Amino acid sequence: MRHQQEKNPDVPTALPKREEIDSAYIWRLEDIYPSIDEWEKDFDGLEKLLPRFQAYQGCLLESAATLLDGIRLMENAEIIMGKLYAYAVMKSHEDTSKEFYQALADRVGYLLTKLTAAISFYTPEILSGGKGVIDGFLGQSEDLKQYAFFFENILRMAPHTLTPSEEELLARSGEVARGPENIFSLFTNADMVFPEVFDEDGNTIELSEERYTRLIRSQDRQVRREAYEGLFGTYSKYRNSLAAMYSSSVKGDLFYAMSRKYGSCLEAALDSDHIPLSVYDSVVDTVRFNLKPLHEYVALRKEILNVPELCMYDLYVPLANEIKKNITYEEALAMVVKGLEPLGEEYISVLKHGFEAGWIDVYENQGKRKGAYSWGSYGTHPYVLLNYNGTIQDVFTIAHEMGHAIHTWYSHGHQPFIYADYTIFLAEVASTTNEALLLDHLLESSLDRQSRLYLLNYSLEQIRTTVYRQAMFADFERQVHNMAEAGEPLTAERLSALWHGLNVTYYGPEISVDAHIDIEWARIPHFYTAFYVYKYVTGYAAATSLSQRIVGDGIAARKSYLDFLKQGGAAYSIDILKNAGVDMATPQPLQDTLNLFKEKLGELKDLL
């Protein structure tokens, strides 16, 4: 049993306050709005602009010129809304306990609902004209031709588009629909309090989601266990409330799917990206068919750790010492730059610019939103939120999030607003390509056995957590929504039992699946964006193919990849990837990735 040691005064026991963070490591949201007054000015301007949409309702298809003017008005409003929304929400994420910015985010959320309602007649009116009318207008106006794909995408949705009044009603329900996610975010980020635990040096520290990520990788098994039980024990205390939040979100998915006459929630979610159901089914089925290598890896992990019973809190500890601990942020940036050199000078110059130009919010502070993401709006540079802790995993997170950011930078820079945003299906490709290239670089430059052991283990962990684990998440989501569609209750007990069974199936007989892990579903924020997580799997598979082409084919593959980044949403996602050389309509890219897992597992065994 560990005895409490005297606290080291040099070790912080509580998270720093926001104002204690050096401004050099804080993103520059003033690049969007220099002051709250400027934000308020745009907010008021957009509110006053909304009534102008009424002039187009019922007569949007009066002429090609009217349609063009109406779309341009919509674009202008959405560009302003993008800036307002991004600024307010990112400010609220700096410290979720500050009511002023929470109120700002609430206000812009309500304004977004009003804007969505104001333009809700566009789609049904365009559909009322049909392909013939739209094609006629395109022939009359050169300026309208750039919207040809926009119209095509709308016209294909005809079976699932309602009357103008019904569309307005659904649009007005948007703020209510966002309620479960907003409640979950505030509850888990601002209100949930985790216990104090011991770190590796015996210091008592306040547990947080970000610190858990570090502690669960500790070589000290008792540190791992205490962090694991502290985190999941806290979530378990609120399991019924968390189940109610998630159940409400799923019921919202069901409401919208039924309202739009889809056969299922899954079909509704995939149709927005024009992805066939077979792609989702193939992800789950292909991974389930290839569970044997994962079971072998789990058995090897048990052997290497030399434990009589492998526990869930043993899954993340590296099987070899980290390459370097306590990596400074500046060192991490240099590592990322070196690893991404195969992408060429142009890409690297954008990367360095992002590092230097206030794109990134680096360190954790009290109340800051957990995790990491990239965000922004049209007409401004991208932003990246980190919670940097100095681990090699954090270095990969920088590469990952900058992949998103530079994808946005290229997309926004080369596409008009209407096509500037890429789909979520494509979102994880660029980020994961960066991780794959960084990993390749580190493996090639690591000659000593210990470093190669660590990196091979890291490679296996990437595929385990991004492919196997996210496929399990996708499996869970599909089953949960099937339960809801069948009218079955989504109680904490039922959700936890399903989660427990999936962990047993995916990880195999060599691990002890204890009761603490049963509540893990309750801490996954992506579940509030239904059927998002499978895209991590498809994105990883596509990125594996693209990174191998970039390294192997050089200049031609690099050009093809940069062209992919510039496409935004100017075509269907499946087609954009196919043009880049990856056909996700087949299971082959995913199967290649799972074969890579087996290959790396063999290399790891050979080194032992």
Side-chain angles (χ1 to χ4, degrees), residues 27 142 318 365 405 525 536:
W27 54 20
E142 285 296 319
N365 58 255
Y536 284 111

Side-chain angles (χ1 to χ4, degrees), residues 93-153:
H93 287 170
E94 292 180 350
D95 185 347
T96 57
S97 67
K98 289 191 175 181
E99 293 185 5
F100 177 83
Y101 291 113
Q102 295 303 323
L104 213 66
D106 287 344
R107 286 175 58 202
V108 78
Y110 179 63
L111 184 60
L112 174 61
T113 299
K114 291 172 66 176
L115 171 61
T116 305
I119 63 176
S120 61
F121 67 88
Y122 274 64
T123 294
E125 285 200 24
I126 290 169
L127 285 170
S128 71
K131 189 175 186 302
V133 171
I134 297 300
D135 285 348
F137 286 163
L138 292 175
Q140 297 170 28
S141 171
E142 285 296 319
D143 289 337
L144 206 55
K145 285 182 178 178
Q146 73 166 324
Y147 300 98
F149 178 68
F150 169 73
F151 292 129
E152 177 187 328
N153 206 24

Side-chain angles (χ1 to χ4, degrees), residues 72-84:
R72 285 177 170 171
L73 177 65
M74 177 184 70
E75 286 184 304
N76 182 48
E78 289 183 339
I79 289 171
I80 297 170
M81 173 53 70
K83 292 174 61 181
L84 288 169

